[in-house]
Amino acid sequence: MDDAARTTHEGHGGRPPGRGPLRARSRAVWSVVGVGGLTLATASPTWVSTTVSTALEPTVDVAVAGTTAAPAVGAAALVVVAGGVALAIAGRVARWVALVVVALAGALATASAAAVLLDPVPAATSGASATAGVTDLTSPVAVAVWPWLTAMLGVAAVLVAALAAAGAPAWGATSGRHERADAEPGTGDTDGTDPRSGSAPSGDHPDAPGQHDPHDAWDALSRGTDPSADR
């Protein structure tokens, strides 16, 4: 290994270098959360619209929102957002699970939007039934741009998950507490305790001359005796 490669390797704390634009955990988290939020936003407006006729009104406008036309889109968007939040605290194994879930949710959002784009009539008919109580449409079904955007954002979620997976090896641990198990044997904790024996530092040993064990002293005081009487 040459000097440049060794420096790069050591600069990452021994972790394999990540690849792609999402080598930083925070960037990956915000990218996933952003895509999920945008997907949820595109599911709120009207996706399909048409008209029906009733006995009381010759023309009744019917507008079907994306969350009604494709209920799975809203759920998938929330899963993507939750996956992004999970990435912020996930460990080495959990991060891969979160990324897989994000990719699957993105694929579900795309598939649900594509189903409406390919055949919007069922969604329009269901909306007409809920709005006016009839199912006979009196005008062609108009499809807005929103399902197209949702389908593209679903693909974007899959791509972001793949990019985050490529950069994940360079992510550091979320907290020093999670890395305590990786400490070198014999180094001990910062308070001087030997991790192999579990013993306290020799200077704080309860049996050292002139030293009182706080717990024994407290018990002695509780019994009404002087804890220093035997010293």
Side-chain angles (χ1 to χ4, degrees):
M1 181 184 295
D2 56 20
D3 294 339
R6 183 181 299 107
T7 301
T8 302
H9 181 73
E10 293 176 353
H12 286 283
R15 297 187 301 271
R19 296 174 295 174
L22 300 183
R23 287 173 292 180
R25 181 192 290 264
S26 59
R27 186 177 299 177
V29 169
W30 284 113
S31 297
V32 174
V33 172
V35 170
L38 289 174
T39 305
L40 187 60
T42 60
S44 300
T46 298
W47 277 22
V48 296
S49 58
T50 185
T51 59
V52 294
S53 178
T54 66
L56 299 178
E57 297 183 64
T59 302
V60 177
D61 294 328
V62 176
V64 184
T67 52
T68 302
V73 170
L78 291 176
V79 169
V80 172
V81 173
V85 174
L87 286 179
I89 58 175
R92 289 181 174 85
V93 176
R95 70 181 58 162
W96 300 109
V97 176
L99 289 174
V100 170
V101 171
V102 167
L104 292 176
L108 176 61
T110 298
S112 299
V116 174
L117 291 170
L118 292 175
D119 187 9
V121 174
T125 301
S126 177
S129 177
T131 301
V134 296
T135 57
D136 294 330
L137 308 181
T138 58
S139 65
V141 178
V143 181
V145 70
W146 301 110
W148 292 98
L149 295 177
T150 300
M152 290 187 290
L153 286 170
V155 174
V158 177
L159 293 178
V160 168
L163 291 174
W171 298 353
T174 56
S175 171
R177 293 179 303 172
H178 302 300
E179 300 300 319
R180 295 176 69 90
D182 297 334
E184 295 182 4
T187 56
D189 294 334
T190 55
D191 60 356
T193 303
D194 186 348
R196 292 172 296 179
S197 62
S199 61
S202 58
D204 296 332
H205 198 282
D207 295 333
Q211 299 291 330
H212 298 281
D213 189 311
H215 299 287
D216 293 341
W218 180 260
D219 292 339
L221 289 173
S222 300
R223 294 191 300 270
T225 60
D226 184 359
S228 61
D230 58 345
R231 300 287 176 177

